[in-house]
Amino acid sequence: MTNNVLKSFDLTGRTALVTGSSAGIGFALARGLAGAGARVILNARNAAKLEAAAEVLRGEGLQVLTAAFDVTSGEAVTAAIARIEAEVGAIDILVNNAGMQRRAPLDQFAEADWHELMKTNVDSVFLVGQAVARHMIGRRRGKIVNICSVQSELGRPGIAPYTASKGAVKMLTKGMAIDWGQHGIQVNGLGPGYFKTELTDALVKNEEFTQWLVGRTPSRRWGDVEDLVGAAVFLSSDASNFVNGHILYVDGGVTATL
């Protein structure tokens, strides 16, 4: 029985596409899926940065390919997914991780920044999710993991548009599960809390913020990107075959407490 349970988490023979995976959380998730046996396709817009990230993972003995394309362009996404399906093979797992942050008081938030943030955080999930799902539907199987956030549930000063975008990703995840579940596809969300990455380095070094955050977090620490890997492998594997439309928060308990 134990062997069968462990086998259900094995991703050997599966191909996973992880968007926005040249650094940060996306890179950690790609490394984790590859470590569980998957062949992973890294995605970002910067081809040189993408190849450098791929070389690091290949140096660890992992199966890694790259696909540089803009996830906010419907035309680019459609062409890239068609090319991957034709030249690499079926995409079994999609992790919609590409995202960005813009901070400003809401009354001063620039319209251009609003549109850029929504395109990156929401449009990309729709565009890549739809393009991949159209292939998955014919095969009657597939796993889609959309990267949400504790800001899918909670607000903070100065990031109202980001909170709106991650709330939208949460509900889009549920909508995808409802429409595509009948085709054997599971669509779930992974909601990170506050993690140490390149993007949060300034906050990590801000003693006042770190003290506040650690005090606010039941686990009493920042998250390390490795903390996300187990949840990502679970949602990408057969172990989650009857989990659909769920958002799994990996946040040290932040969403559980006032």
Side-chain angles (χ1 to χ4, degrees):
M1 180 66 181
T2 304
N3 288 339
N4 289 338
V5 169
L6 294 177
K7 197 171 188 297
S8 70
F9 289 87
D10 187 3
L11 301 181
T12 301
R14 312 282 173 92
T15 297
L17 170 63
V18 184
T19 69
S21 51
S22 61
I25 286 174
F27 181 77
L29 296 180
R31 173 185 265 152
L33 296 181
R39 174 175 58 171
V40 176
I41 302 166
L42 302 182
N43 158 265
R45 281 182 289 196
N46 186 321
K49 195 175 178 186
L50 202 55
E51 197 52 43
E55 283 304 311
V56 171
L57 298 183
R58 288 176 190 137
E60 298 173 6
L62 302 174
Q63 292 185 77
V64 181
L65 302 169
T66 61
F69 62 93
D70 181 358
V71 293
T72 69
S73 162
E75 193 175 319
V77 167
T78 300
I81 298 307
R83 187 168 62 251
I84 291 167
E85 288 271 339
E87 297 176 7
V88 177
I91 297 170
D92 303 294
I93 301 158
L94 167 64
V95 180
N96 274 314
N97 169 77
M100 67 177 300
Q101 175 66 288
R102 287 280 184 270
R103 298 176 187 274
L106 188 55
D107 55 297
Q108 298 166 33
F109 205 91
E111 182 182 349
D113 287 344
W114 166 274
H115 290 301
E116 182 189 25
L117 191 140
M118 289 297 165
K119 276 182 66 175
T120 304
N121 292 3
V122 184
D123 291 10
S124 67
V125 176
F126 165 72
L127 292 170
V128 184
Q130 183 188 63
V132 171
R134 284 171 172 162
H135 292 274
M136 289 179 169
I137 286 168
R139 295 188 286 266
R140 297 200 59 78
R141 60 180 171 82
K143 300 279 184 175
I144 298 176
V145 182
N146 296 329
I147 303 305
C148 298
S149 167
V150 291
Q151 266 78 48
S152 297
E153 301 291 341
L154 305 171
R156 285 279 299 150
I159 58 166
Y162 180 83
T163 301
S165 74
K166 288 301 184 178
V169 173
K170 177 182 88 167
M171 295 311 297
L172 182 54
T173 299
K174 292 176 183 287
M176 288 176 168
I178 293 163
D179 278 15
W180 299 336
Q182 63 187 308
H183 302 296
I185 300 168
Q186 290 84 53
V187 188
N188 293 289
L190 180 59
Y194 283 84
F195 280 77
K196 294 178 182 176
T197 68
E198 298 94 326
L199 292 177
T200 60
D201 190 54
L203 287 176
V204 173
K205 290 174 178 171
N206 182 323
E207 287 187 25
E208 185 181 357
F209 182 85
T210 289
Q211 187 177 4
W212 170 83
L213 177 68
V214 169
R216 169 80 169 72
T217 304
S219 292
R220 294 293 185 264
R221 65 177 177 87
W222 279 85
D224 295 312
V225 287
E226 290 75 21
D227 292 323
L228 291 165
V229 170
V233 170
F234 167 65
L235 293 177
S236 301
S237 72
D238 290 344
S240 60
N241 278 351
F242 202 55
V243 180
N244 219 354
H246 178 71
I247 314 301
L248 175 53
Y249 291 101
V250 181
D251 64 357
V254 163
T255 53
T257 180
L258 279 172

